[in-house]
Amino acid sequence: LSHNNRNEDGKLSVKWLHGAVARNLKAKIMVTLNSMRTKFEGYSDFVFDDATRYFHPEEVTLFDGSLNEQGEARIPADMGVQRQAPGMLKANFMVRAFEESGEYSTDFFSMDYAPYPVFVGLKLLKTGTWGNEFVTDSTYKLDIVTLDENGKPVSVPKLEVTVYKISWRWWWDVSYRNTGNYVRTNYQDAIIVSRTSTENGMGEAMI
């Protein structure tokens, strides 16, 4: 399931327990999107998730209507644009079919959802320093891969690589109720901006 096939419809089919077609019943499909770790087979050393983004769980109604005479309905696969997703999302579906009495049966299942057509993975070489620290005013090679939602390499002619210096700040904040707590923020300053590309899914950048 991906943003690439958002224009393709799925099919909902409902039957009674004894196998008969559940025609003309009301049905509803809800899906909740949650963040998950993005990983692809053969690329375990690469990081594909954007640590600067936080995705709030989001519930989407995919279908709320009636089945046809065959107990079926076409279901749109469009989850909307999820620009704040740090990477792959887990789509948790809840499907309900309502009897004429108002009672309903429920089914649950989950699928991975790719909100982007291409995923960029980064791998930093080991620096040999304690904690694998990166020293200011030094040059390092950054390995880059670009994969589609199925983990297949794709070439990307234009990629922008930006390196940020992050500074942490803490201060003590006292509210009008005389309750205090430490507040933390971070400042991100871009110190390197360069451009590169990938061929057959592989590339590199010097930072």
Side-chain angles (χ1 to χ4, degrees):
L1 187 64
S2 72
H3 188 63
N4 277 345
N5 57 25
R6 63 190 180 280
N7 295 322
E8 301 177 13
D9 289 342
K11 184 176 76 171
L12 172 64
S13 179
V14 179
K15 294 182 179 181
W16 298 102
L17 288 177
H18 49 75
V21 173
R23 56 175 56 90
N24 301 323
L25 294 184
K26 295 286 188 180
K28 188 173 185 178
I29 299 179
M30 304 290 293
V31 58
T32 302
L33 300 174
N34 295 276
S35 293
M36 60 176 288
R37 182 189 170 199
T38 305
K39 54 185 179 179
F40 297 99
E41 186 176 354
Y43 299 92
S44 59
D45 292 336
F46 288 83
V47 177
F48 293 90
D49 293 302
D50 186 346
T52 66
R53 294 184 179 184
Y54 177 76
F55 184 80
H56 296 274
E58 185 172 318
E59 189 175 69
V60 178
T61 300
L62 286 185
F63 180 79
D64 189 1
S66 298
L67 307 174
N68 60 20
E69 286 288 332
Q70 289 73 44
E72 298 176 347
R74 305 301 297 178
I75 309 301
D78 191 357
M79 303 283 185
V81 179
Q82 311 297 335
R83 298 188 186 279
Q84 287 302 311
M88 281 281 192
L89 299 175
K90 179 68 73 175
N92 300 300
F93 292 84
M94 181 185 71
V95 182
R96 281 183 174 169
F98 296 85
E99 300 178 20
E100 293 182 357
S101 64
E103 296 292 325
Y104 57 83
S105 60
T106 306
D107 186 27
F108 298 93
F109 64 95
S110 298
M111 298 176 66
D112 293 348
Y113 174 64
Y116 307 115
V118 177
F119 291 82
V120 179
L122 307 177
K123 182 176 74 171
L124 290 168
L125 299 181
K126 300 297 182 182
T127 64
T129 60
W130 183 84
N132 202 43
E133 294 179 341
F134 293 85
V135 181
T136 304
D137 298 325
S138 298
T139 302
Y140 301 94
K141 188 180 80 166
L142 178 68
D143 289 331
I144 302 172
V145 296
T146 47
L147 310 175
D148 67 12
E149 70 268 23
N150 298 311
K152 298 184 182 302
V154 293
S155 299
V156 178
K158 295 180 180 180
L159 282 174
E160 183 176 278
V161 179
T162 306
V163 178
Y164 293 91
K165 183 177 181 179
I166 301 177
S167 300
W168 297 93
R169 296 290 184 270
W170 294 82
W171 70 88
W172 183 257
D173 179 59
V174 179
S175 71
Y176 71 94
R177 293 180 179 176
N178 286 326
T179 57
N181 63 293
Y182 281 103
V183 178
R184 183 190 72 182
T185 62
N186 62 67
Y187 299 87
Q188 300 179 3
D189 297 319
I191 57 176
I192 298 175
V193 178
S194 64
R195 286 170 176 77
T196 187
S197 62
T198 60
E199 185 173 350
N200 296 322
M202 300 298 296
E204 63 180 41
M206 304 304 293
I207 61 173

Coordinates of all heavy atoms in Angstrom, one line a residue, residues 86-131:
P86 N 7.9 10.8 9.1 CA 9.3 10.7 9.1 C 9.8 9.5 8.2 O 11.0 9.5 7.8 CB 9.7 10.4 10.5 CG 8.4 9.8 11.1 CD 7.3 10.4 10.4
G87 N 8.9 8.6 7.8 CA 9.2 7.5 6.9 C 8.0 6.7 6.7 O 6.9 7.2 6.6
M88 N 8.2 5.4 6.7 CA 7.0 4.4 6.5 C 6.0 4.6 7.6 O 6.4 5.0 8.8 CB 7.5 3.0 6.5 CG 8.1 2.6 5.2 SD 6.8 2.2 4.0 CE 7.9 1.3 2.8
L89 N 4.8 4.4 7.3 CA 3.7 4.4 8.3 C 3.0 3.0 8.4 O 3.0 2.3 7.4 CB 2.7 5.5 8.0 CG 3.1 6.9 7.9 CD1 2.0 7.8 7.4 CD2 3.7 7.4 9.2
K90 N 2.5 2.7 9.6 CA 1.7 1.5 9.8 C 0.2 1.9 9.7 O -0.2 2.8 10.4 CB 2.0 0.9 11.1 CG 1.2 -0.4 11.4 CD 1.6 -1.5 10.5 CE 2.9 -2.1 10.8 NZ 3.3 -3.2 10.0
A91 N -0.5 1.3 8.8 CA -1.9 1.6 8.6 C -2.7 0.5 9.3 O -2.7 -0.7 8.9 CB -2.3 1.6 7.1
N92 N -3.4 0.9 10.4 CA -4.3 -0.1 11.1 C -5.7 0.1 10.7 O -6.3 1.2 11.0 CB -4.1 0.2 12.6 CG -2.6 0.0 13.1 OD1 -2.1 -1.1 12.9 ND2 -2.0 1.0 13.6
F93 N -6.3 -0.9 10.1 CA -7.7 -0.8 9.6 C -8.7 -1.4 10.6 O -8.4 -2.4 11.2 CB -7.8 -1.6 8.3 CG -7.0 -1.0 7.1 CD1 -5.7 -1.2 7.0 CD2 -7.6 -0.1 6.2 CE1 -4.9 -0.7 5.9 CE2 -6.9 0.5 5.2 CZ -5.6 0.2 5.0
M94 N -9.8 -0.7 10.6 CA -11.0 -1.3 11.4 C -12.2 -1.3 10.4 O -12.5 -0.2 9.8 CB -11.4 -0.4 12.6 CG -12.6 -0.9 13.3 SD -13.1 0.1 14.7 CE -13.8 1.5 13.8
V95 N -12.7 -2.5 10.1 CA -13.8 -2.6 9.2 C -15.1 -3.1 9.9 O -15.0 -4.1 10.7 CB -13.4 -3.7 8.1 CG1 -14.6 -3.8 7.0 CG2 -12.1 -3.3 7.4
R96 N -16.2 -2.4 9.7 CA -17.4 -2.7 10.4 C -18.5 -2.9 9.3 O -18.7 -2.1 8.4 CB -17.8 -1.7 11.4 CG -17.0 -1.8 12.7 CD -17.5 -0.8 13.7 NE -16.8 -1.1 15.0 CZ -16.9 -0.3 16.0 NH1 -17.5 0.9 16.0 NH2 -16.2 -0.6 17.2
A97 N -19.3 -4.0 9.5 CA -20.5 -4.2 8.7 C -21.7 -4.2 9.6 O -21.7 -4.9 10.6 CB -20.4 -5.5 7.9
F98 N -22.7 -3.4 9.3 CA -23.8 -3.2 10.2 C -25.0 -4.0 9.7 O -25.4 -3.9 8.5 CB -24.2 -1.7 10.2 CG -23.1 -0.8 10.8 CD1 -22.1 -0.4 10.0 CD2 -23.2 -0.5 12.2 CE1 -21.1 0.4 10.6 CE2 -22.2 0.3 12.7 CZ -21.1 0.8 11.9
E99 N -25.6 -4.7 10.6 CA -26.9 -5.4 10.3 C -28.0 -4.4 10.4 O -27.9 -3.3 10.9 CB -27.1 -6.5 11.3 CG -26.0 -7.6 11.3 CD -26.3 -8.7 12.4 OE1 -27.5 -8.8 12.8 OE2 -25.4 -9.4 12.7
E100 N -29.2 -4.8 9.8 CA -30.3 -3.9 9.8 C -30.8 -3.6 11.3 O -31.4 -2.5 11.5 CB -31.5 -4.5 9.1 CG -31.2 -4.7 7.6 CD -32.4 -5.2 6.8 OE1 -33.4 -5.6 7.5 OE2 -32.3 -5.4 5.6
S101 N -30.5 -4.5 12.2 CA -30.9 -4.2 13.6 C -30.0 -3.2 14.3 O -30.3 -2.7 15.4 CB -30.8 -5.5 14.4 OG -29.5 -6.0 14.4
G102 N -28.9 -2.9 13.6 CA -27.9 -1.9 14.3 C -26.7 -2.6 14.8 O -25.7 -2.0 15.1
E103 N -26.8 -4.0 15.0 CA -25.6 -4.7 15.5 C -24.6 -4.7 14.3 O -24.9 -4.6 13.2 CB -26.0 -6.1 15.8 CG -27.0 -6.2 17.0 CD -26.4 -5.8 18.3 OE1 -25.2 -6.1 18.5 OE2 -27.1 -5.2 19.1
Y104 N -23.3 -4.9 14.7 CA -22.3 -4.9 13.7 C -21.2 -5.9 14.0 O -21.0 -6.3 15.2 CB -21.7 -3.5 13.5 CG -21.1 -3.0 14.8 CD1 -19.8 -3.3 15.2 CD2 -21.8 -2.1 15.6 CE1 -19.3 -2.8 16.4 CE2 -21.3 -1.5 16.8 CZ -20.1 -1.9 17.2 OH -19.5 -1.3 18.3
S105 N -20.5 -6.4 13.0 CA -19.3 -7.2 13.2 C -18.1 -6.4 12.8 O -18.2 -5.5 11.9 CB -19.4 -8.5 12.4 OG -19.5 -8.2 11.0
T106 N -16.9 -6.7 13.4 CA -15.7 -5.9 13.2 C -14.5 -6.7 12.8 O -14.4 -7.8 13.4 CB -15.4 -5.0 14.5 OG1 -16.5 -4.3 14.9 CG2 -14.2 -4.1 14.2
D107 N -13.7 -6.3 11.9 CA -12.5 -6.9 11.6 C -11.4 -5.9 11.7 O -11.5 -4.7 11.3 CB -12.6 -7.5 10.2 CG -11.4 -8.4 9.8 OD1 -10.7 -8.9 10.7 OD2 -11.0 -8.5 8.6
F108 N -10.2 -6.4 12.1 CA -9.0 -5.5 12.2 C -7.9 -6.2 11.5 O -7.7 -7.4 11.5 CB -8.6 -5.4 13.7 CG -9.6 -4.7 14.6 CD1 -10.5 -5.5 15.3 CD2 -9.6 -3.3 14.7 CE1 -11.5 -4.9 16.1 CE2 -10.6 -2.7 15.5 CZ -11.5 -3.5 16.2
F109 N -7.1 -5.3 10.8 CA -5.8 -5.8 10.2 C -4.9 -4.6 9.9 O -5.4 -3.5 10.0 CB -6.1 -6.6 8.8 CG -6.7 -5.7 7.8 CD1 -5.9 -5.1 6.8 CD2 -8.1 -5.5 7.7 CE1 -6.5 -4.3 5.8 CE2 -8.7 -4.8 6.7 CZ -7.9 -4.1 5.7
S110 N -3.6 -4.9 9.7 CA -2.6 -3.8 9.5 C -1.8 -4.0 8.2 O -1.6 -5.2 7.8 CB -1.7 -3.8 10.7 OG -2.4 -3.5 11.9
M111 N -1.4 -2.9 7.6 CA -0.5 -3.0 6.5 C 0.5 -1.8 6.6 O 0.2 -0.8 7.2 CB -1.3 -2.8 5.2 CG -2.4 -3.9 4.9 SD -3.4 -3.5 3.4 CE -2.1 -3.6 2.2
D112 N 1.7 -2.0 6.0 CA 2.6 -1.0 5.8 C 2.1 0.0 4.8 O 1.6 -0.4 3.7 CB 4.0 -1.5 5.5 CG 4.6 -2.3 6.6 OD1 4.1 -2.3 7.7 OD2 5.7 -3.0 6.3
Y113 N 2.4 1.3 5.0 CA 1.9 2.3 4.0 C 3.1 3.2 3.7 O 3.7 3.8 4.6 CB 0.8 3.1 4.6 CG 0.4 4.3 3.7 CD1 -0.1 4.1 2.4 CD2 0.5 5.6 4.1 CE1 -0.4 5.1 1.6 CE2 0.2 6.7 3.3 CZ -0.3 6.4 2.0 OH -0.6 7.5 1.2
A114 N 3.5 3.3 2.5 CA 4.6 4.2 2.0 C 4.0 5.5 1.6 O 3.4 5.6 0.5 CB 5.3 3.5 0.9
P115 N 4.2 6.6 2.3 CA 3.7 7.9 2.0 C 4.5 8.6 0.9 O 4.1 9.7 0.4 CB 3.7 8.7 3.3 CG 4.8 8.1 4.0 CD 4.9 6.6 3.6
Y116 N 5.7 8.1 0.6 CA 6.5 8.7 -0.4 C 6.9 7.7 -1.6 O 7.0 6.5 -1.3 CB 7.8 9.2 0.2 CG 7.6 10.1 1.4 CD1 8.0 9.7 2.7 CD2 7.0 11.4 1.3 CE1 7.8 10.6 3.8 CE2 6.8 12.2 2.4 CZ 7.2 11.8 3.6 OH 7.0 12.6 4.7
P117 N 7.1 8.2 -2.8 CA 7.5 7.3 -3.9 C 8.9 6.9 -3.8 O 9.3 5.8 -4.3 CB 7.3 8.2 -5.1 CG 7.4 9.6 -4.6 CD 6.9 9.6 -3.3
V118 N 9.8 7.7 -3.1 CA 11.2 7.3 -3.0 C 11.6 7.6 -1.5 O 11.3 8.6 -0.9 CB 12.1 8.2 -4.0 CG1 13.6 7.9 -3.7 CG2 11.7 7.9 -5.4
F119 N 12.5 6.7 -1.0 CA 13.0 6.8 0.3 C 14.5 7.0 0.2 O 15.2 6.2 -0.5 CB 12.7 5.6 1.2 CG 11.2 5.6 1.5 CD1 10.3 5.0 0.6 CD2 10.7 6.1 2.7 CE1 9.0 4.9 0.9 CE2 9.4 6.0 3.1 CZ 8.5 5.4 2.2
V120 N 15.1 8.0 0.9 CA 16.5 8.2 0.9 C 17.1 7.7 2.2 O 16.6 8.0 3.3 CB 16.8 9.8 0.8 CG1 18.3 10.0 0.8 CG2 16.2 10.3 -0.4
G121 N 18.1 6.9 2.1 CA 18.8 6.3 3.2 C 20.2 6.8 3.3 O 20.9 7.0 2.3
L122 N 20.7 7.0 4.6 CA 22.0 7.6 4.8 C 22.8 6.6 5.7 O 22.3 6.0 6.6 CB 21.9 8.9 5.6 CG 21.0 10.0 4.9 CD1 21.0 11.2 5.8 CD2 21.5 10.3 3.5
K123 N 24.1 6.5 5.4 CA 25.0 5.7 6.2 C 26.3 6.5 6.4 O 27.0 6.9 5.5 CB 25.3 4.4 5.6 CG 26.3 3.5 6.4 CD 26.5 2.1 5.9 CE 27.4 2.2 4.7 NZ 27.8 0.8 4.2
L124 N 26.6 6.8 7.7 CA 27.9 7.4 8.0 C 28.9 6.4 8.4 O 28.7 5.4 9.1 CB 27.6 8.4 9.2 CG 26.8 9.6 9.0 CD1 26.4 10.3 10.3 CD2 27.6 10.6 8.1
L125 N 30.1 6.7 7.9 CA 31.2 5.7 8.2 C 31.7 5.9 9.6 O 31.4 6.9 10.3 CB 32.4 6.0 7.3 CG 32.1 5.9 5.7 CD1 33.4 6.2 5.0 CD2 31.7 4.4 5.5
K126 N 32.3 4.8 10.2 CA 32.8 4.9 11.5 C 34.0 5.8 11.6 O 34.9 5.7 10.8 CB 33.2 3.5 12.0 CG 32.1 2.5 12.0 CD 31.0 2.8 12.9 CE 29.9 1.8 13.0 NZ 28.8 2.1 13.9
T127 N 33.9 6.8 12.6 CA 35.0 7.8 12.7 C 36.2 7.3 13.5 O 37.2 7.8 13.5 CB 34.4 9.0 13.3 OG1 34.0 8.8 14.6 CG2 33.3 9.6 12.5
G128 N 35.9 6.2 14.3 CA 37.0 5.7 15.2 C 37.1 6.5 16.5 O 38.0 6.2 17.3
T129 N 36.3 7.5 16.7 CA 36.3 8.3 17.9 C 35.3 7.7 18.9 O 34.4 6.9 18.6 CB 35.9 9.8 17.6 OG1 34.6 9.8 17.0 CG2 36.9 10.4 16.6
W130 N 35.5 8.2 20.1 CA 34.6 7.7 21.2 C 33.1 8.2 20.9 O 32.9 9.3 20.6 CB 35.0 8.3 22.5 CG 34.2 7.7 23.7 CD1 34.3 6.6 24.3 CD2 33.0 8.4 24.3 NE1 33.3 6.5 25.3 CE2 32.5 7.6 25.3 CE3 32.4 9.6 24.0 CZ2 31.4 7.9 26.0 CZ3 31.3 10.0 24.8 CH2 30.8 9.1 25.8
G131 N 32.2 7.2 20.9 CA 30.8 7.6 20.6 C 30.6 7.9 19.1 O 29.5 8.4 18.7

